[in-house]
Amino acid sequence: MGKRDRAQEPQSWGPRNSQGRTPPPDAWSAPPQGPPPNGHQQDGTTPKPKKRRRVFLWFFLAVQILFLIWVIAGAASGSGTPDECRSLTGDGLKLCEDANDVGTTIGVGLVIGLWAAVDVILGFTYLIYRLASHRA
């Protein structure tokens, strides 16, 4: 019988020990500690996703609060009789107070217009940021 006629032991695929036998279980390396590649843990549950920071949301809310305070302060500054009108009486007093009210209304309207413009700019900025981060 030649070498070809003898039955050979099945060979395993992988690194071989120098003595040709497997090491005892206590010499095995520890399993990896990270999450498995399929996204599931060993107990069958999925790991909790990382909590997203909502920096833009808090920045947006802070801008809204600042504009709201500005509008309230602007509207409150127009109440009462202005100092320029104190020496006037009759129709002159009424005309001066009405002019003050119109000025307050225009000022508050401009602040509200600026508020809306800032919100539109922030909205487009957030939209562009989201589109750029999803494509990357």
Side-chain angles (χ1 to χ4, degrees):
M1 282 184 118
K3 285 186 177 180
R4 290 185 183 176
D5 295 335
R6 272 190 260 161
Q8 294 182 351
E9 291 183 25
Q11 295 183 357
S12 63
W13 298 94
R16 287 196 165 244
N17 198 348
S18 61
Q19 291 117 5
R21 57 187 172 91
T22 59
D26 57 345
W28 293 348
S29 63
Q33 297 299 321
N38 64 359
H40 295 287
Q41 294 178 353
Q42 289 179 354
D43 60 358
T45 61
T46 57
K48 291 183 180 179
K50 204 174 190 183
K51 188 174 180 179
R52 291 180 26 174
R53 296 184 198 187
R54 301 203 177 258
V55 176
F56 181 81
L57 174 69
W58 291 109
F59 177 74
F60 183 78
L61 290 176
V63 168
Q64 303 311 303
I65 289 171
L66 288 174
F67 271 109
L68 185 63
I69 291 170
W70 194 5
V71 166
I72 291 171
S77 70
S79 64
T81 303
D83 293 335
E84 296 85 14
C85 299
R86 296 211 189 265
S87 62
L88 301 174
T89 58
D91 287 338
L93 177 63
K94 179 76 172 145
L95 184 65
C96 185
E97 286 177 346
D98 289 343
N100 185 50
D101 291 343
V102 169
T104 301
T105 303
I106 291 171
V108 170
L110 288 173
V111 170
I112 290 174
L114 181 64
W115 186 357
V118 167
D119 281 351
V120 167
I121 291 169
L122 285 175
F124 278 127
T125 304
Y126 183 68
L127 179 68
I128 290 169
Y129 167 74
R130 292 286 295 194
L131 289 175
S133 65
H134 280 287
R135 289 187 181 177

